[in-house]
Amino acid sequence: MSEGFVVRGLRRVRKFLGDGTGPRELEGKHLGRVRELLKECASGVGGEVSVRQRAALLAETYQHLNDEGRATFLSSIANDFGPDPQCVDQAHVAYQAAIGSDQQWQAESALRNAMRSSRLRILTQFNALPQGVKFLVDLRADLLRYLDKDPALRSLDRELESRLGAWFDVGFLELQRITWNSPAVLLEKLIQYEAVHEIRSWSDLKNRLDSDRRCYAFFHPRMPMEPLIFVEVALTEHLADNVQTLLDEHAPVFDAQRASTAIFYSISNTQLGLRGVSFGNFLLKRVVDDLKRDYPRLDSFATLSPLPTFRRWAEKNPDAWRKAFSDADLERINRRLLPEMTAITSADDLAKLLSVDRWAADQRLAQALQHGLTRLAARYLLTASKGDQPYDPVARFHLGNGARIERLNYLADTSARGSQQSYGLMVNYVYDPDTIEENVEAFSRGGEIAAATALRRSARD
């Protein structure tokens, strides 16, 4: 294929894109042209320049499509460029016949090649573009949204996830500290991507990057201004128990040289397209090493973490309320209700009371609710499950990396989000270097949860 042919194809597609005033459908002759180009990508015809121009043409087309057009584009890749069933069948028959003979390994190689889809060649050509890595990450984010409506896309998703897992191997990633002097475009990305505690202003961000704070992120060399995951750290003298206090912009700056404890209070994954590609555990290990080098006095590494699905779970489990709140708890609560409030006699009454956020502002009522809510949260962390894993996603992450559940903190996050997620409770996970490996082994083998004695006692009381 001549390079001139590819250039003419580029002109035709740009004519289709028009003035770029809005996203486009993908149908008719334009869909046919895209399929032709995908076939040429899959077959790998043409020289290096033609290959790059063709991939760039397809990427530009994709970026100008609307949601329906993108779904059609991805469906074409998934359905038209998989392994040839007849070739796979023939290779499998040959392999079965060759088992135990000198030709077995050659037949195995042939079977493996027959099962390899030409989708991989298309994805690899996109990867070679100047912004190809980011393009593929964003493409998979789209793909994940379409899976429920089109299960046939799952084969493409598995292949793309596998490719991204190789391209984003932790050995290729770079750990960088982000400071107030980092490029403005990068600081804007922190504000955009913060997923745990919203960054409300530039002064809020500056406070999180002050001398008693640290922020670290993993970067891929092909995405230098796109943090893949970042962690925010506070250097303190104690185990933090309130995120509003921790993020108070007006609090005096702590002398970091006196710090004995590093609190990881926010970990944010930024790229939806990298779901299933895990590097958060490596980030924490690298950050701990970096902090220990800079601050030798540090001897405690812990988190102040949300319980993002606690309230959702609690509202679906009325029996858990009945077991967590004793008659004495209900009596205390009823004595402290405001006159206009209905007396609490059941789990449903409790759930209704807590559905109105004003309860937390009433100090006496909040105190009466503390014992039962803390017991409910302890049982949630220690017993609630999804399959053979803890129900809480943050717990799954930290326990899987060897942390211990240390302490529940009542009304530790009084923001609207904290109330909506967990009635304001937060939890400290502790990373003890002496027990991390033991905890990982026990959790991965039998689902054993490492937890402080006081927390286990709270769950039993």
Side-chain angles (χ1 to χ4, degrees):
M1 176 186 295
S2 70
E3 292 177 15
F5 180 82
V6 175
V7 171
R8 287 194 297 274
L10 180 59
R11 288 176 184 155
R12 284 196 292 273
V13 170
R14 284 183 173 154
K15 184 178 179 181
F16 156 59
L17 298 177
D19 58 10
T21 55
R24 304 303 177 92
E25 293 278 1
L26 185 60
E27 55 189 2
K29 64 181 181 180
H30 303 301
L31 175 57
R33 179 57 187 148
V34 164
R35 283 175 171 161
E36 287 177 20
L37 288 170
L38 287 171
K39 287 178 182 177
E40 292 161 7
C41 276
S43 60
V45 298
E48 183 177 343
V49 173
S50 296
V51 167
R52 286 179 178 271
Q53 287 186 327
R54 191 187 301 116
L57 169 61
L58 284 165
E60 183 179 1
T61 302
Y62 182 85
Q63 290 171 329
H64 283 79
L65 295 173
N66 62 14
D67 233 31
E68 291 76 11
R70 292 186 177 193
T72 300
F73 186 105
L74 294 171
S75 180
S76 181
I77 296 178
N79 293 319
D80 299 342
F81 300 96
D84 183 329
Q86 186 175 355
C87 291
V88 173
D89 184 57
Q90 292 173 352
H92 182 257
V93 170
Y95 173 70
Q96 290 290 339
I99 290 176
S101 70
D102 293 342
Q103 287 76 42
Q104 176 178 342
W105 312 121
Q106 184 177 352
E108 179 185 325
S109 178
L111 176 58
R112 189 178 294 111
N113 288 334
M115 294 181 67
R116 183 176 300 159
S117 78
S118 54
R119 291 184 290 247
L120 292 175
R121 183 176 284 119
I122 296 172
L123 297 177
T124 302
Q125 289 180 22
F126 284 140
N127 182 48
L129 296 173
Q131 300 297 322
V133 173
K134 176 61 174 169
F135 172 76
L136 285 171
V137 171
D138 292 342
L139 182 144
R140 183 164 184 255
D142 288 338
L143 184 60
L144 290 170
R145 292 190 292 111
Y146 306 142
L147 287 181
D148 288 340
K149 293 182 179 179
D150 188 358
L153 293 174
R154 295 191 182 280
S155 56
L156 175 60
D157 177 56
R158 284 192 291 269
E159 288 181 333
L160 184 50
E161 180 183 350
S162 175
R163 289 291 83 199
L164 290 173
W167 294 330
F168 284 84
D169 182 271
V170 69
F172 299 139
L173 305 184
E174 300 170 355
L175 179 69
Q176 295 181 24
R177 181 183 166 197
I178 301 175
T179 72
W180 184 245
N181 295 319
S182 296
V185 65
L186 184 52
L187 298 181
E188 289 174 347
K189 291 290 175 66
L190 291 189
I191 296 174
Q192 175 188 348
Y193 289 136
E194 167 60 55
V196 184
H197 303 294
E198 178 188 5
I199 299 175
R200 301 176 300 276
S201 64
W202 284 100
S203 60
D204 183 8
L205 177 61
K206 187 174 184 180
N207 179 58
R208 300 189 194 203
L209 300 176
D210 216 327
S211 60
D212 59 346
R213 299 286 189 266
R214 291 292 182 272
C215 180
Y216 295 89
F218 265 151
F219 292 85
H220 191 279
R222 297 277 301 281
M223 295 169 57
M225 284 293 120
E226 285 283 347
L228 307 177
I229 182 173
F230 63 90
V231 58
E232 297 170 66
V233 187
L235 301 174
T236 72
E237 286 183 304
H238 59 275
L239 198 60
D241 61 1
N242 185 285
V243 74
Q244 274 75 40
T245 301
L246 199 68
L247 296 178
D248 183 2
E249 296 176 39
H250 305 292
V253 176
F254 177 69
D255 179 5
Q257 296 301 324
R258 293 167 42 209
S260 60
T261 304
I263 300 292
F264 304 98
Y265 63 88
S266 179
I267 302 174
S268 297
N269 286 289
T270 68
Q271 308 296 318
L272 294 176
L274 292 178
R275 191 176 80 184
V277 180
S278 177
F279 30 64
N281 54 338
F282 295 102
L283 173 67
L284 290 183
K285 291 172 184 175
R286 293 278 300 277
V287 168
V288 166
D289 289 341
D290 197 81
L291 289 171
K292 288 172 70 175
R293 184 189 66 239
D294 292 345
Y295 300 98
R297 291 188 58 182
L298 287 176
D299 58 12
S300 180
F301 300 89
T303 77
L304 182 59
S305 298
L307 293 88
T309 53
F310 172 45
R311 181 166 176 168
R312 186 191 316 163
W313 171 84
E315 289 177 345
K316 293 179 180 178
N317 289 274
D319 285 345
W321 291 91
R322 286 190 281 271
K323 295 175 182 177
F325 285 81
S326 66
D327 291 341
D329 289 327
L330 296 181
E331 185 179 344
R332 265 194 307 273
I333 293 166
N334 281 320
R335 286 202 306 266
R336 297 178 183 181
L337 290 176
L338 295 175
E340 66 271 20
M341 293 180 174
T342 304
I344 302 300
T345 60
S346 68
D348 288 340
D349 292 339
L350 277 169
K352 289 177 184 177
L353 172 65
L354 290 166
S355 68
V356 181
D357 293 341
R358 62 179 178 170
W359 67 268
D362 184 331
Q363 186 175 357
R364 294 178 72 250
L365 179 56
Q367 186 178 7
L369 287 161
Q370 180 173 357
H371 186 260
L373 272 178
T374 303
R375 182 194 290 140
L376 184 65
R379 291 179 177 176
Y380 163 75
L381 285 171
L382 294 176
T383 65
S385 62
K386 182 178 289 187
D388 59 353
Q389 292 286 308
Y391 189 93
D392 190 271
V394 176
R396 288 197 296 270
F397 174 79
H398 289 298
L399 293 171
N401 288 318
R404 177 179 72 246
I405 308 176
E406 186 67 14
R407 186 177 72 188
L408 279 163
N409 301 296
Y410 188 61
L411 296 185
D413 183 0
T414 54
S415 68
R417 183 172 186 170
S419 175
Q420 290 162 6
Q421 289 186 336
S422 61
Y423 306 109
L425 275 82
M426 299 188 77
V427 57
N428 299 121
Y429 296 94
V430 168
Y431 283 87
D432 181 351
D434 293 335
T435 61
I436 284 177
E437 292 304 323
E438 178 183 338
N439 292 344
V440 168
E441 181 73 13
F443 182 75
S444 61
R445 279 188 149 189
E448 184 177 334
I449 294 174
T453 302
L455 189 124
R456 293 192 182 280
R457 187 182 303 120
S458 177
R460 290 194 301 266
D461 286 349

